Amino acid sequence: MAQIMDGKALSNKILNDIKEKTRLLKTKPGLCVILVGNNPASQIYVKNKEKQAQNAGFNSTVYKLSENTGKDELLNLINSLNNDDAADGILLQLPLPKHLNPYDFLDKIDPKKDVDGFHPINAGKLMLNENPYSIPCTPKGILALLDEYKIRIEGANAVVLGRSNIVGKPLAQLLLNKNATVTMAHSKTKNLSEITKQADILISATGCPDIITKDMVKEGAVVIDVGIIRDDNGKLRGDVDFNNVKEIAGFITPVPGGVGPMTIASLIQNTYNLHIFKE
Ligand code: GUN
């Protein structure tokens, strides 16, 4: 039976630590979140980010822009936050409404305020293993979780399922930087279960409920579930068939209470670090 990796507990530990350190600062870290449109999931995520930033003692501001916001209006806001000394971290919540291309905006955020690590300079620094100003929050949280449970990354076969710019690609890069043997799988991958069965560390970030079944997992593997989707009955579901996979895995993250809270904890850490870096 797998050991459950408790992301909620670790995130609380990280958040309390940042809160203590923030009390000793002369000026508070400032997190600015931009939310464009009415995506229901994004509204919940942004509310949670605001709440945790406030809990940590940060100044937190959410800029809510309408669904039909134009390109210039959004660029102007980013520009003004780039020039605002109180804004340490700027986060543009994704996805944007269809008429806006995220890559027209992510590279306009000052890389030193890029709390998501999505700017091409930070993505490039990550690829070069050269200290990005920020590391993307979900991959950073997963690494913290692996570290907490003393999972050896060096030399491990790590399989990352999903190739998004937010999770899959930066995560694969981080694991490679830590000397894992990394395989990236995705929707066009053939013989998926043959690949996943090789994984010492299996990380699934597809958003397809129960795509990872027991027969796809090696005995004793570490299974990290990044998926989170609400089913028709309102229940949160991950990528992993948790009840069956936990019988065979060595370690496993639950949904909810695994990777989700770690993402927020990483955002708070990133904001704090950008503030300190500036001081
Ligand atoms: N949408 C889903 N995850 C994320 C994230 O980590 N950052 C931003 N900005 N948008 C997201």
Side-chain angles (χ1 to χ4, degrees):
M1 186 78 120
Q3 185 172 347
I4 309 292
M5 303 174 89
D6 189 343
K8 186 78 194 144
L10 178 56
S11 86
N12 283 338
K13 199 160 96 177
I14 292 169
L15 290 168
N16 283 332
D17 175 53
I18 301 268
K19 189 174 180 172
E20 285 303 304
K21 289 198 289 195
T22 298
R23 286 194 320 137
L24 306 175
L25 296 175
K26 283 203 217 74
T27 56
K28 290 180 179 186
L31 174 63
C32 297
V33 176
I34 306 172
L35 175 62
V36 188
N38 312 313
N39 182 303
S42 292
Q43 285 172 334
I44 294 170
Y45 292 145
V46 165
K47 199 168 270 178
N48 212 358
K49 289 171 184 181
E50 184 182 26
K51 184 175 136 198
Q52 294 302 343
Q54 285 169 348
N55 266 345
F58 295 2
N59 290 319
S60 168
T61 315
V62 177
Y63 296 83
K64 290 187 180 150
L65 304 185
S66 76
E67 186 79 24
N68 54 13
T69 296
K71 187 173 170 182
D72 285 346
E73 188 185 346
L74 184 50
L75 287 175
N76 285 340
L77 174 58
I78 290 171
N79 195 35
S80 76
L81 294 175
N82 281 341
N83 292 310
D84 178 354
D85 214 35
D88 294 300
I90 303 170
L91 183 149
L92 177 60
Q93 184 67 28
L94 303 177
L96 294 177
K98 280 206 179 69
H99 67 283
L100 298 172
N101 176 354
Y103 298 100
D104 287 340
F105 305 99
L106 292 174
D107 66 346
K108 305 303 186 300
I109 294 172
D110 180 341
K112 294 188 176 148
K113 296 190 174 198
D114 169 30
V115 74
D116 261 324
F118 291 166
H119 190 289
I121 286 189
N122 285 320
K125 282 176 174 284
L126 182 65
M127 205 194 102
L128 299 170
N129 204 4
E130 278 297 325
N131 297 324
Y133 295 108
S134 301
I135 292 171
C137 298
T138 300
K140 179 180 170 125
I142 291 169
L143 255 68
L145 209 45
L146 293 173
D147 188 56
E148 175 74 6
Y149 285 85
K150 308 213 166 9
I151 308 297
R152 190 176 166 80
I153 296 176
E154 183 164 305
N157 282 339
V159 174
V160 178
L161 182 49
R163 54 178 157 179
S164 72
N165 291 331
I166 295 181
V167 181
K169 281 190 223 167
L171 178 61
Q173 194 63 61
L174 279 166
L175 291 165
L176 184 62
N177 291 349
K178 290 193 172 289
N179 298 318
T181 302
V182 181
T183 304
M184 293 199 74
H186 46 78
S187 54
K188 302 288 188 286
T189 296
K190 292 182 185 139
N191 304 325
L192 182 60
S193 68
E194 273 171 38
I195 293 168
T196 57
K197 268 191 282 197
Q198 302 295 317
D200 302 310
I201 302 172
L202 175 60
I203 303 171
S204 187
T206 71
C208 304
D210 292 350
I211 191 174
I212 302 294
T213 49
K214 187 177 174 184
D215 56 304
M216 296 167 74
V217 176
K218 180 162 95 172
E219 196 169 345
V222 178
V223 180
I224 307 280
D225 191 346
V226 187
I228 183 158
I229 209 153
R230 206 170 279 282
D231 70 13
D232 294 341
N233 302 319
K235 189 174 180 286
L236 285 179
R237 311 237 334 247
D239 283 6
V240 177
D241 174 12
F242 181 85
N243 285 331
N244 290 311
V245 172
K246 77 176 187 320
E247 303 294 328
I248 187 170
F251 293 83
I252 191 167
T253 61
V255 175
V259 173
M262 293 305 300
T263 297
I264 301 250
S266 302
L267 173 67
I268 299 305
Q269 275 181 317
N270 280 353
T271 309
Y272 179 87
N273 289 342
L274 292 176
H275 179 80
I276 296 296
F277 182 78
K278 195 179 72 183
E279 294 236 306

